[in-house]
Amino acid sequence: MSRHDSFSTDPVLRLAQRRARAKMGFFIHLAVFVLVNALLVTIDLLALRRHGMSIFPAVGWGLGLAIHGAVVFFAGSGSALHQRLVDSELTKLGAHRP
């Protein structure tokens, strides 16, 4: 068996796998965002009436993508912020971290 099995009991390996999956999910989301919005802009430019309507889905979806990126890279499980919050809660509860 590989040391990268998904059933590993090593907490560091499990955290690394979870973070890698989250980042991969973000990059897939980003790729779909770029492809779909490029298609919408192309359709918008080729349309007889150029209203620039493709900006609305791009802005709305872009906001969702930005939030997704912020969660994955700054506030997700395993991030420094998440770890500080967990440590703070453990301190409040009087628990000791191994």
Side-chain angles (χ1 to χ4, degrees):
M1 287 212 293
S2 167
R3 72 177 200 90
H4 297 293
D5 288 296
S6 59
F7 299 111
S8 173
T9 58
D10 180 12
V12 175
L13 177 59
R14 291 179 66 194
L15 177 61
Q17 290 172 333
R18 186 173 356 158
R19 291 174 73 178
R21 279 192 304 271
K23 289 177 182 178
M24 183 59 80
F26 172 76
F27 291 129
I28 290 169
H29 188 180
L30 178 63
V32 171
F33 170 81
V34 169
L35 292 172
V36 168
N37 282 291
L39 177 65
L40 291 175
V41 168
T42 302
I43 292 169
D44 204 20
L45 292 174
L46 295 175
L48 295 176
R49 297 181 197 159
R50 294 189 174 127
H51 293 292
M53 297 302 288
S54 62
I55 191 70
F56 296 109
V59 169
W61 192 353
L63 178 62
L65 185 63
I67 292 168
H68 186 178
V71 168
V72 168
F73 292 103
F74 301 114
S77 178
S79 71
L81 173 62
H82 182 262
Q83 192 58 53
R84 284 195 309 267
L85 292 171
V86 169
D87 291 341
S88 172
E89 290 302 316
L90 286 172
T91 301
K92 288 177 188 175
L93 294 171
H96 298 288
R97 218 165 170 232

